[in-house]
Amino acid sequence: MKRTCFLLTIITFCLTNLAFGQSALSQGDHFADINGIKIHYYVSGKGPICLVPSPGWGPSINYLKNSLTPFEKYFTIVYYDTRSSGQSTGPNDSTKYSSRDFMNDMDSLRTYLKQPKVWVMGHSMGGFQVLNYGIHHNKNLNGIIALAPLAGRDSIYEREFTKMVMKRKGQPYFEAGSNIFFGKDTTKNKNSEMMPYIFPFYFHDVNKISEFEKLGDPQISDKAGEYTDASFFGSEYLFPLLTKIKVPTLIVVGDDDFICDKVSQADRIVKNIPNATEIVINDAGHFSWVEQPIQFFADTEKWLKKLKLKVQK
């Protein structure tokens, strides 16, 4: 009798753990207790696991999970709100918002999902996160997809940034936005307050803003923005360290991206990563897949197929 009870206990324990492992990657919304905070993540798609963080400085995952769905044919995508963004909680200590904290969260989520290796994909400062993760955790990766990534600011970046901003001179939105960029207007100092004035700069064609708005409320967190500044999140200069990334890496950039441009960012990132490919999307700004979805997804899928990734049935 004791032996039977013991066996039943073991079976129940195993089945409970198996169910838990499955539920952690079931389709839909989840929450994970990681590093003293509660991370919200959303699972969709089939195939190898791919972690997709929100940018980190404030927006939620909404615009990503509602627009990157074609990748879900190749991956089980785990979109997650980084600390203090979207539905994720965050620390009360603003010094706990460093790039190291973000990398620890990404790696802890990988461990929580019981994945020896993962793909990672990020946009903008999410691109910074996945490149930084690749530098420090290359052994835990299958590959990287970085959309309009940032890898460091220097004189080359400042020159290109100024050139791309001034390229928009004469546009109705130029004066208000450029005053913010060049420090002439300090009254709009919260991200949620500034964004309406600077957002048109992010597009090659401002008429495409309506397409972005269809993706849902970005839910910009001002706390995340304040903590980003306090902890200097994303301020590291990654270029000299990119050689440590050995996995296949795709860099995608819009030819008219003013904030993470081709010349100072994408071109130099690809030059420093041994196994990297660059795709330039024509007539597109910072959200190249929103402005030019046909070219974007056709070109990125070609790259995936070269790596023998298959559409999941």
Side-chain angles (χ1 to χ4, degrees):
M1 183 68 179
K2 288 182 178 180
R3 179 179 174 82
T4 302
C5 291
F6 176 75
L7 289 173
L8 287 173
T9 301
I10 293 297
I11 292 170
T12 301
F13 175 79
C14 292
L15 290 174
T16 300
N17 279 348
L18 179 61
F20 176 79
Q22 290 175 333
S23 65
L25 282 168
S26 62
Q27 305 286 296
D29 289 294
H30 299 265
F31 289 89
D33 291 318
I34 288 174
N35 300 330
I37 60 176
K38 191 177 293 292
I39 291 287
H40 165 251
Y41 68 95
Y42 181 87
V43 180
S44 188
K46 294 180 179 180
I49 304 301
C50 180
L51 305 182
V52 181
S54 61
W57 59 265
S60 72
I61 58 172
N62 284 352
Y63 81 99
L64 297 167
K65 76 180 183 68
N66 292 332
S67 63
L68 295 177
T69 50
F71 285 118
E72 295 170 12
K73 296 182 295 184
Y74 298 90
F75 300 107
T76 297
I77 299 190
V78 179
Y79 306 92
Y80 71 95
D81 286 319
T82 50
R83 45 182 56 207
S84 298
S85 297
Q87 297 180 58
S88 292
T89 64
N92 292 322
D93 183 354
S94 63
T95 65
K96 301 299 183 182
Y97 213 80
S98 68
S99 297
R100 183 175 296 276
D101 292 310
F102 279 81
M103 282 192 296
N104 287 342
D105 289 346
M106 189 176 293
D107 201 50
S108 295
L109 182 58
R110 176 190 65 80
T111 302
Y112 176 85
L113 297 173
K114 298 181 172 61
Q115 299 298 309
K117 290 189 176 185
V118 292
W119 280 80
V120 290
M121 174 164 52
H123 171 243
S124 193
M125 287 303 293
F128 175 92
Q129 291 177 58
V130 299
L131 291 176
N132 205 18
Y133 185 82
I135 290 168
H136 297 279
H137 296 280
N138 183 80
K139 62 182 175 59
N140 298 332
L141 284 175
N142 290 314
I144 298 172
I145 301 173
L147 312 177
L150 184 77
R153 298 178 176 88
D154 54 17
S155 60
I156 300 174
Y157 175 79
E158 295 301 331
R159 182 191 69 208
E160 291 300 313
F161 175 76
T162 300
K163 183 176 76 174
M164 296 298 273
V165 170
M166 295 306 296
K167 180 181 176 181
R168 289 151 169 83
K169 189 174 184 179
Q171 296 296 325
Y173 56 83
F174 175 80
E175 184 174 0
S178 63
N179 284 344
I180 293 173
F181 291 135
F182 299 134
K184 296 179 181 179
D185 182 352
T186 58
T187 59
K188 307 175 186 68
N189 51 18
K190 289 185 178 181
N191 287 331
S192 61
E193 296 170 339
M194 292 190 295
M195 193 52 65
Y197 298 93
I198 66 175
F199 199 54
F201 286 83
Y202 287 78
F203 291 82
H204 172 75
D205 180 0
V206 294
N207 292 316
K208 297 294 178 68
I209 292 177
S210 60
E211 295 300 314
F212 184 88
E213 290 173 340
K214 294 176 183 177
L215 302 177
D217 183 2
Q219 299 175 334
I220 294 176
S221 166
D222 286 326
K223 180 180 179 180
E226 293 167 4
Y227 279 25
T228 292
D229 294 338
S231 291
F232 303 102
F233 162 60
S235 62
E236 292 86 351
Y237 193 73
L238 302 183
F239 289 111
L241 304 174
L242 292 172
T243 55
K244 295 183 178 182
I245 298 175
K246 306 301 182 184
V247 295
T249 301
L250 178 64
I251 307 298
V252 188
V253 63
D255 65 352
D256 196 24
D257 190 336
F258 90 108
I259 194 82
C260 296
D261 67 278
K262 177 182 183 296
V263 175
S264 80
Q265 300 300 309
D267 290 353
R268 292 196 292 165
I269 292 170
V270 170
K271 185 178 179 180
N272 283 282
I273 298 176
N275 190 13
T277 299
E278 181 177 3
I279 293 175
V280 180
I281 307 300
N282 300 321
D283 299 326
H286 197 53
F287 304 96
S288 58
W289 70 98
V290 175
E291 290 202 76
Q292 301 295 344
I294 294 176
Q295 185 198 346
F296 177 92
F297 288 110
D299 288 355
T300 53
E301 285 192 48
K302 285 179 183 177
W303 182 79
L304 293 173
K305 288 175 180 177
K306 284 183 179 179
L307 295 179
K308 310 301 182 184
L309 283 164
K310 298 179 180 179
V311 173
Q312 301 297 309
K313 302 295 184 180

